Structure formats: structure tokens, C-alpha cells
Amino acid sequence: MDPQPPTDAVERATADLAERLAVPPGAVELVAQEEVTWRDGSLGCAQPGFSYTQALVPGSRITLRVDGTEYEYHAGGRGDPFLCADPSE
């Protein structure tokens, strides 16, 4: 079975990570992409001292890898994926 083609969200996350790490986009490997329902408005990336909407939020989790290190990108609704350095779920 062929892997799924990257979605627009995966392409945006890949471009963002490549820019952050100063590597070519081809050096970024897609590990996983999954649809999730986040428990609240933190989208699985809660920051201390912030309060979040207490509602279920449909979204996605994208896991990328560069040189053996994995990075998680989270997204909710129609928002752009963002790097979540410390996933809370």
C-alpha cells in the first residue's frame, strides 16, 4: 500500500520545521498524521498560566522527524499547524 500523499497541513508543517532547523524540506520525514479531537482549546499543547476554552476541538496531530528527532505539530479547526514543543496529551 502506498503512503497517503501529504496534505496541505503537512506541507505547511514541513516547511515551517525546515525553516526553523535550517534544513532542506526534503530532510523532513513524515512519521504520522492523524485526525484527533482535542479535549480543549489548548489543542494538546497547554501552556502554564493560560486558560483555554473547555470544548472538544476537531483537529490533527502531525509527527515529523529530522535526523532521528521527532517533532509534533498540532492543529485545530481551520488553523495552521504549529510546533508543540511540550505536548500535554
Side-chain angles (χ1 to χ4, degrees):
M1 179 193 298
D2 291 329
Q4 289 183 317
T7 64
D8 189 45
V10 170
E11 290 172 357
R12 289 192 312 266
T14 298
D16 180 76
L17 186 59
E19 184 176 326
R20 286 173 186 269
L21 300 178
V23 299
V28 180
E29 175 188 358
L30 174 62
V31 175
Q33 176 186 7
E34 60 186 320
E35 298 302 313
V36 296
T37 300
W38 303 112
R39 291 184 286 186
D40 58 34
S42 73
L43 307 180
C45 199
Q47 302 294 314
F50 287 83
S51 59
Y52 298 96
T53 303
Q54 297 301 303
L56 298 177
V57 180
S60 62
R61 177 185 298 124
I62 300 166
T63 306
L64 303 173
R65 181 172 32 227
V66 176
D67 292 330
T69 302
E70 292 189 357
Y71 302 86
E72 269 193 30
Y73 276 75
H74 294 190
R78 297 177 189 255
D80 283 335
F82 63 92
L83 180 61
C84 182
D86 189 20
S88 57
E89 59 180 78

